[in-house]
Amino acid sequence: MPEAVYFDEGQKKAIEAILSGDPSFGIKLDSKKSKFDAFNAILGTERMLTDLKSKIPLSFRGESIVECDPSNSSEVVSALVKLVLEMEMTPVIILMNFTYKSVLRSLKSSGLDEKVIIVDTVSKVISHVEDGERIFFVDSPRNLTQLQIKMINIMDSNKNTCFIFDSLGILALYHEENVVLKFVYSLTKLLHKYASSGFFVSAGKTNPRLIQFFDEEVKAKKFI
């Protein structure tokens, strides 16, 4: 059974004002932005960010596997971007489940597009794309060597980076289990060598043999 959600009086009034179409609501909200945004705190990325911050301290440095329900994977990735920025590191998103276009739309709406580096392993399979200043492309999720080279180049050019892998599960679709295990192990060692950090999102059932490679295992709360 889903957990009950409770609202204080201020939140109830804000929600009622939106539903009623109160034209003065925008003015009221502008004057109270610094206090609380009722919707951002209970919906989407913000509630996931709150959950992750309760489990991952801002001082964390290392590699962590973040397990979540598949229905919340996009919110987890977005929340991790914001968390990494609060940690005062540069987020580098490794895309295996989403394309750069869909992610950029979300980042631009939050004003974060110029603060993130993207490595897309999906788009080159379906369209002609070229590397940019903050966007890099890998031929496909099959080309693990090329992905590692891109990561090394990014770490050589950018200090204090934190990599966010949007889906460990996708690797299992392209590679045998032993290849996935060796690759993830090598990545954790690579990040450690460069004093970089990483969050590896695992949506759904996680291979228990993967967990041994990480400093921390985090289970994100499921939101409906």
Side-chain angles (χ1 to χ4, degrees):
M1 179 180 294
E3 294 185 9
V5 180
Y6 299 95
F7 304 97
D8 61 31
E9 288 303 314
Q11 295 168 350
K12 289 179 181 178
K13 290 180 180 179
I15 293 171
E16 289 172 359
I18 290 177
L19 295 177
S20 66
D22 181 356
S24 65
F25 175 73
I27 299 173
K28 295 175 182 177
L29 184 60
D30 285 342
S31 66
K32 298 180 180 180
K33 276 183 180 178
S34 61
K35 293 183 179 180
F36 191 73
D37 184 326
F39 283 100
N40 279 345
I42 62 175
L43 298 174
T45 300
E46 292 304 319
R47 62 183 179 181
M48 186 62 73
L49 176 60
T50 299
D51 178 55
L52 292 178
K53 286 173 70 173
S54 71
K55 300 166 182 174
I56 305 171
L58 295 182
S59 59
F60 175 78
R61 297 296 183 273
E63 287 72 53
S64 173
I65 185 168
V66 181
E67 299 169 280
C68 69
D69 187 85
S71 63
N72 292 139
S73 62
S74 61
E75 287 88 352
V76 169
V77 173
S78 297
L80 284 172
V81 169
K82 292 187 176 183
L83 179 63
V84 169
L85 288 171
E86 289 192 29
M87 291 176 163
E88 298 184 345
M89 292 188 285
T90 300
V92 183
I93 311 177
I94 307 295
L95 297 178
M96 294 183 174
N97 194 36
F98 304 101
T99 66
Y100 78 101
K101 288 184 178 180
S102 61
V103 172
L104 273 181
R105 280 196 297 268
S106 176
L107 293 173
K108 285 182 178 179
S109 67
S110 303
L112 302 176
D113 52 305
E114 295 184 358
K115 299 179 180 179
V116 175
I117 297 171
I118 295 175
V119 179
D120 184 333
T121 71
V122 181
S123 295
K124 210 166 185 179
V125 178
I126 56 179
S127 62
H128 176 74
V129 289
E130 296 182 355
D131 288 354
E133 184 177 350
R134 302 184 72 85
I135 301 178
F136 305 91
F137 297 95
V138 173
D139 290 344
S140 82
R142 295 184 185 278
N143 199 332
L144 301 181
T145 299
Q146 189 182 52
L147 174 56
Q148 285 185 313
I149 292 173
K150 296 281 185 179
M151 291 174 60
I152 291 171
N153 290 340
I154 289 171
M155 288 187 284
D156 281 337
S157 303
N158 301 270
K159 303 303 179 184
N160 203 27
T161 53
C162 182
F163 289 78
I164 301 169
F165 294 78
D166 75 340
S167 178
L168 277 180
I170 294 298
L171 287 173
L173 299 178
Y174 292 89
H175 305 279
E176 294 182 357
E177 180 181 10
N178 285 339
V179 174
V180 174
L181 292 172
K182 289 179 181 178
F183 177 64
V184 173
Y185 175 72
S186 68
L187 284 188
T188 58
K189 292 299 182 182
L190 181 66
L191 294 178
H192 180 73
K193 176 183 176 180
Y194 278 83
S196 186
S197 296
F199 291 109
F200 294 68
V201 177
S202 177
K205 188 176 181 180
T206 303
N207 184 338
R209 296 178 65 188
L210 283 172
I211 298 173
Q212 63 182 311
F213 303 137
F214 297 95
D215 301 309
E216 296 289 341
E217 177 187 7
V218 175
K219 294 187 178 182
K221 185 177 179 180
K222 178 181 179 180
F223 290 102
I224 299 175

